Amino acid sequence: DTAVSQTPKYLVTQMGNDKSIKCEQNLGHDTMYWYKQDSKKFLKIMFSYNNKELIINETVPNRFSPKSPDKAHLNLHINSLELGDSAVYFCASSQGTGGYGYTFGSGTRLTVV
Amino acid sequence: AQSVSQHNHHVILSEAASLELGCNYSYGGTVNLFWYVQYPGQHLQLLLKYFSGDPLVKGIKGFEAEFIKSKFSFNLRKPSVQWSDTAEYFCAALTSGSARQLTFGSGTQLTVLP
């Protein structure tokens, strides 16, 4: 069983479109995250949710809106996609504040054309 | 704000060579430290972690890391690398406090030549 699963794995879309990426974890963790990995492999946190509540919201354009319907799911919706949004987006989860580390999903490669 | 630095951007080694990847963090308080590995096209996997106690921690696949508090360092080592160790390696730090988050270094690409 995949611990943290993301769908879709690949997403190619045109500029201006709206798209969503879904994430689910079956580890029983109470905290979930979205990270963006750019073309230089640099990983930056975007959002963090604990028990469906937003606890970290880094400097991210408000075109990005996370939604957590329950503590096992954290989806990422992106409006009006831009070329610069092309990246790999990783979902992760942890128990509490992640003292034992985060478990990452396999990533979603988003390409905006 | 805390930061994590990895000074080696790309390391190329031959099989059986010894490996040491540098990692420094900038945070004066209690910090948890991690090394993750990302094989080509895959997600990040945890190699090892340090919380407290013995500063020499052992992880999976024969990797180990040493926490040196006075140097704010947490270098990753492996005595003899294999071709299958070719991957991107990330050091990360988790600070104490109410808004904890895992901050990553910029990564080191390791290429092992057969």
Side-chain angles (χ1 to χ4, degrees):
Chain A
D1 276 345
T2 304
V4 181
S5 58
Q6 293 178 231
T7 53
K9 192 169 174 66
Y10 299 97
L11 185 53
V12 180
T13 187
Q14 292 188 322
M15 277 173 46
N17 283 352
D18 303 338
K19 290 293 178 187
S20 291
I21 306 172
K22 295 187 176 181
C23 179
E24 175 181 4
Q25 54 95 4
N26 61 6
L27 298 166
H29 289 165
D30 57 5
T31 308
M32 295 184 73
Y33 312 84
W34 278 110
Y35 275 80
K36 179 179 180 181
Q37 186 176 46
D38 63 22
S39 58
K40 294 191 166 126
K41 300 287 184 77
F42 185 69
L43 280 153
K44 185 165 170 52
I45 192 166
M46 300 172 70
F47 303 103
S48 168
Y49 268 75
N50 176 261
N51 280 319
K52 302 192 298 175
E53 282 193 34
L54 181 66
I55 54 172
I56 292 175
N57 183 357
E58 290 294 309
T59 308
V60 175
N62 57 15
R63 298 181 294 103
F64 290 78
S65 53
K67 292 244 179 354
S68 182
D70 55 59
K71 70 176 190 176
H73 296 83
L74 180 62
N75 303 324
L76 183 65
H77 188 76
I78 316 169
N79 289 328
S80 304
L81 277 154
E82 301 176 358
L83 292 176
D85 298 331
S86 295
V88 181
Y89 293 84
F90 285 99
C91 178
S93 72
S94 72
Q95 185 56 37
T97 53
Y100 291 95
Y102 296 4
T103 301
F104 283 83
S106 55
T108 296
R109 182 174 293 278
L110 171 65
T111 304
V112 182
V113 298
Chain B
Q2 66 170 359
S3 66
V4 178
S5 301
Q6 292 180 247
H7 303 296
N8 312 107
H9 296 295
H10 194 180
V11 172
I12 302 173
L13 295 172
S14 298
E15 275 195 315
S18 64
L19 169 73
E20 180 159 3
L21 301 182
C23 173
N24 290 92
Y25 64 94
S26 64
Y27 186 72
T30 302
V31 61
N32 294 356
L33 297 162
F34 306 83
W35 275 97
Y36 281 84
V37 61
Q38 185 178 28
Y39 297 103
Q42 295 192 26
H43 65 285
L44 288 96
Q45 301 174 39
L46 183 64
L47 273 180
L48 48 80
K49 53 185 180 279
Y50 171 79
F51 303 139
S52 62
D54 189 345
L56 185 62
V57 293
K58 294 191 184 300
I60 61 171
K61 302 178 191 281
F63 286 91
E64 64 180 33
E66 185 174 13
F67 170 60
I68 303 179
K69 189 174 181 179
S70 60
K71 294 184 179 180
F72 296 88
S73 70
F74 189 58
N75 293 354
L76 181 72
R77 299 196 292 245
K78 185 170 184 179
S80 175
V81 294
Q82 301 171 321
W83 176 78
S84 58
D85 293 325
T86 295
E88 188 88 20
Y89 291 81
F90 293 93
C91 183
L94 183 73
T95 57
S96 59
S98 59
R100 302 179 81 178
Q101 59 174 282
L102 196 61
T103 300
F104 284 87
S106 53
T108 298
Q109 171 65 46
L110 172 65
T111 300
V112 180
L113 303 174

